[in-house]
Amino acid sequence: MKKVGIIGVGEYLPEKVLTNADLEKMVDTSDEWITTRTGIKKRHLAAKGQATSDLAIRAAKAALEDAGLKPEDIDLIIVATITADMPFPSVASIVQNALSARNAAAFDVSAACAGFVYALSIARQFISQGTYKHALVIGAEKLSSVTDWKDRNTCVLFGDGAGACVLGETKSGGIISTYLGCDGSNLGLLNIPAGGSRLPASHETVDNRMHYIKMQGNELFKIAVKTMTEAAQIVLKQAGLSFKDVDMVVPHQANSRIIMAVAKKLGLTEDKIYLNIDRCGNMSSASTVTALVEAVKEGKIKKGDRVLLDCFGAGLVWGACVIEW
Ligand code: UT7
């Protein structure tokens, strides 16, 4: 089995920014409520006509440049997303074409906020077995396209963006351990009810606003804290490491209170946790990867550091990963 590491990173956040003050003019909310309950101050929104693949392509190009590779060096493209441009084909196919990555197989992964860690785990397997040499793993979302801008319970939470990593063989370190899980019994807590084969789009589904994200936040909050705590413990145990060995935790960015509750349970101090939720909101599949990319670019993750990724989301699904940078 080959060691597999992240050899290039990139991100793209759309130019348009929506602040809490902007939201105060749209729904019955306040900057104070959003900040204290979620930690979010602003989020990026894709422009009209800009699709998830457009964000993914920009992030992918940045990651390729960072890795010093050409599109034809990539054998595999995986895009984690729940807001594909269309039901099919995949965003990954659109990215493959836009990059002219003619040697790459390409597919999407749907695992919501844990999507990036799911995609990372899959790509790692292919490279460690020697099937592929270089993989592009992207988390990209245009959640603004499925956000109900009249629902204050949800519209203050989400944002758009994309992050990408290039994976390849490494001599030392790399991805040490991954842990994925699912509990489908609670899928009603967070979903988009219509638009699939169960409830195809109809006048009725549109009139009933069933193409937007529905969430029972309170219930999810408790499950998120418990699940992310356990996932972090399990993946570290698998890696033969303890929390003292971790230099930086990059969690899914759904709510800063969730993250701090997990940190408290695990005995982690704030300086070991990277957050971008204040300026990006919750970007589902794109959250963990953009936070990882930013932490690297800001020098908060350095060569030799041990990084813990810890995610939870709709499904319900979860994923954790330990990487030696
Ligand atoms: O991405 C992965 C999965 N997602 C999550 O894990 C998200 C988990 N959940 C959360 O982050 C939080 O539950 C929320 C941020 C969604 C909500 O925070 P909360 O502290 O759980 O609030 P709540 O839902 O219990 O609502 C408290 C009150 C309610 O008013 P009443 O019924 O107490 O009078 C809501 O109507 O806050 C009200 N409220 C708001 N008030 C002002 C809900 N949204 C807003 C808002 N502005 N935007």
Side-chain angles (χ1 to χ4, degrees):
M1 295 271 272
K2 298 172 198 295
K3 286 182 194 291
V4 181
I6 294 175
I7 58 171
V9 295
E11 76 163 346
Y12 173 70
L13 299 172
E15 283 75 26
K16 185 177 172 188
V17 168
L18 187 77
T19 65
N20 291 350
D22 296 326
L23 280 161
E24 284 177 351
K25 294 178 203 135
M26 296 162 61
V27 288
D28 180 13
T29 191
S30 65
D31 173 45
E32 200 265 335
W33 191 95
I34 304 169
T35 306
T36 54
R37 298 288 181 122
T38 71
I40 303 167
K41 297 296 278 183
K42 57 185 182 179
R43 64 291 286 148
H44 292 259
L45 298 188
K48 207 166 177 231
Q50 208 174 21
T52 296
S53 65
D54 298 318
L55 315 184
I57 290 160
R58 297 279 290 262
K61 285 183 175 168
L64 274 177
E65 198 186 327
D66 193 45
L69 292 178
K70 295 193 173 62
E72 54 268 32
D73 297 326
I74 299 295
D75 314 298
L76 175 67
I77 299 172
I78 309 179
V79 179
T81 188
I82 51 166
T83 49
D85 293 24
M86 55 192 97
F88 72 88
S90 67
V91 175
S93 291
I94 299 167
V95 173
Q96 186 270 350
N97 181 51
L99 297 178
S100 303
R102 57 177 185 273
N103 300 317
F107 60 90
D108 287 357
V109 162
S110 172
C113 308
F116 175 68
V117 172
Y118 265 71
L120 202 65
S121 306
I122 298 165
R124 178 204 185 196
Q125 297 297 331
F126 276 117
I127 298 172
S128 68
Q129 309 264 338
T131 313
Y132 296 124
K133 229 172 148 193
H134 295 119
L136 194 50
V137 178
I138 305 167
E141 302 287 6
K142 185 183 174 186
L143 291 181
S144 62
S145 66
V146 290
T147 297
D148 186 345
W149 293 103
K150 290 189 171 163
D151 176 13
R152 73 171 182 172
N153 290 295
T154 52
C155 76
V156 300
L157 304 173
F158 304 114
D160 303 333
C165 292
V166 178
L167 267 66
E169 196 183 341
T170 177
K171 291 276 165 279
S172 62
I175 298 171
I176 300 171
S177 169
T178 63
Y179 167 62
L180 307 175
C182 175
D183 173 9
S185 66
N186 272 319
L187 48 86
L189 294 180
L190 180 55
N191 62 17
I192 297 175
S197 58
R198 175 80 56 199
L199 278 175
S202 67
H203 286 292
E204 195 190 346
T205 61
V206 173
D207 290 346
N208 291 329
R209 311 184 77 75
M210 295 168 81
H211 295 271
Y212 295 125
I213 297 171
K214 309 285 177 201
M215 183 166 90
Q216 291 175 44
N218 218 296
E219 268 309 298
L220 269 181
F221 191 109
K222 288 174 253 172
I223 303 172
V225 173
K226 185 171 180 291
T227 307
M228 288 174 74
T229 303
E230 287 170 3
Q233 287 164 334
I234 291 169
V235 80
L236 270 175
K237 194 170 174 208
Q238 277 177 190
L241 298 170
S242 81
F243 286 97
K244 287 193 195 74
D245 303 313
V246 174
D247 298 290
M248 186 57 74
V249 181
V250 183
H252 171 55
Q253 317 267 324
N255 187 319
S256 57
R257 287 190 297 135
I258 294 178
I259 296 168
M260 290 312 158
V262 173
K264 196 173 166 200
K265 280 180 180 286
L266 298 175
L268 291 163
T269 49
E270 268 187 50
D271 58 310
K272 278 199 173 182
I273 298 158
Y274 189 85
L275 296 179
N276 68 357
I277 186 170
D278 54 327
R279 45 193 196 278
C280 294
N282 179 350
M283 302 185 290
S284 191
S285 306
S287 268
T288 311
V289 58
T290 55
L292 179 65
V293 174
E294 287 169 20
V296 172
K297 295 281 178 198
E298 288 169 22
K300 295 196 169 142
I301 295 174
K302 296 176 285 305
K303 181 128 187 67
D305 280 356
R306 292 209 184 93
V307 181
L308 169 66
L309 309 182
D310 193 10
C311 312
F312 167 83
L316 303 175
V317 287
W318 55 90
C321 176
V322 183
I323 307 167
E324 190 178 300
W325 209 258

